[in-house]
């Protein structure tokens, strides 16, 4: 699953960059760097959030991108803002789905480690020794 998440992660990065939305690109970089799923449940939750954010970002970008570009460039920003909004309408949901798959497959790949950490936390070697010693007495 590690290879799948690397491929979908790269494709998600490409799709996000194709939106030309610097805010979305920066937000994705931060999110990917700090929010790695620890196990399957975490991956499913974060994957669902990625998908919803992608769809919402695409739809809302039809309004917000022209507004941002008009505010930044004046009337000359209308064309680029509309172009970014339309590109985002297509690419942000695609990026969201790809990031969702990345989160889910990363969560699957990290689940065995999470289970081993939980097991070692719950059952320390000293606990076995104490329990065994008490059984013998």
């Amino acid at each position: 699953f590690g290879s799948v998440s690397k491929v979908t992660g790269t494709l998600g990065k490409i799709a996000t960059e194709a939106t030309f939305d610097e805010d979305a690109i920066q937000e994705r970089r931060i999110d990917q760097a700090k929010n790695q799923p620890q196990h399957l449940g975490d991956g499913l939750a974060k994957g669902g959030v990625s998908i919803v954010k992608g769809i919402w970002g695409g739809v809302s970008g039809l309004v917000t991108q022209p507004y941002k570009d008009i505010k930044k460039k004046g009337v000359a920003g209308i064309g680029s803002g509309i172009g970014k909004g339309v590109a985002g309408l297509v690419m942000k949901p695609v990026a969201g789905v790809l990031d969702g798959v990345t989160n889910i497959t990363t969560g699957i790949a990290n689940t065995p480690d999470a289970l081993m950490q939980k097991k070692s936390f719950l059952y320390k070697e000293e606990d076995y020794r104490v329990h065994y010693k008490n059984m013998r007495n």
Side-chain angles (χ1 to χ4, degrees):
F1 288 104
S3 298
V4 173
S5 40
K6 287 181 183 178
V7 169
T8 57
T10 300
L11 293 174
K13 178 182 176 192
I14 292 167
T16 302
E17 289 177 358
T19 66
F20 304 104
D21 181 355
E22 291 301 321
D23 294 336
I25 293 167
Q26 185 65 24
E27 182 181 341
R28 183 186 183 279
R29 281 187 193 134
I30 292 168
D31 192 48
Q32 293 293 315
K34 71 175 186 173
N35 289 327
Q36 291 296 314
Q38 301 300 309
H39 50 78
L40 176 60
D42 196 23
L44 288 169
K46 290 177 180 178
V49 168
S50 294
I51 293 168
V52 170
K53 283 172 73 174
I55 293 168
W56 176 251
V59 172
S60 66
L62 284 174
V63 174
T64 59
Q65 284 302 320
Y67 176 76
K68 286 179 187 177
D69 276 13
I70 290 170
K71 197 171 180 182
K72 189 185 295 183
K73 301 175 186 175
V75 178
I78 292 174
S80 64
I82 291 172
K84 288 179 184 178
V86 171
L89 180 64
V90 175
M91 297 311 293
K92 285 182 182 179
V94 170
V97 169
L98 289 167
D99 287 343
V101 171
T102 301
N103 284 324
I104 292 167
T105 55
T106 301
I108 291 169
N110 290 340
T111 296
D113 290 337
L115 290 174
M116 293 305 289
Q117 287 175 356
K118 186 174 182 179
K119 182 179 176 183
S120 68
F121 174 75
L122 293 176
Y123 304 106
K124 295 180 181 169
E125 188 176 337
E126 327 56 83
D127 294 341
Y128 287 124
R129 288 186 197 153
V130 170
H131 183 67
Y132 181 72
K133 185 177 179 183
N134 290 338
M135 287 177 49
R136 288 182 22 166
N137 292 334

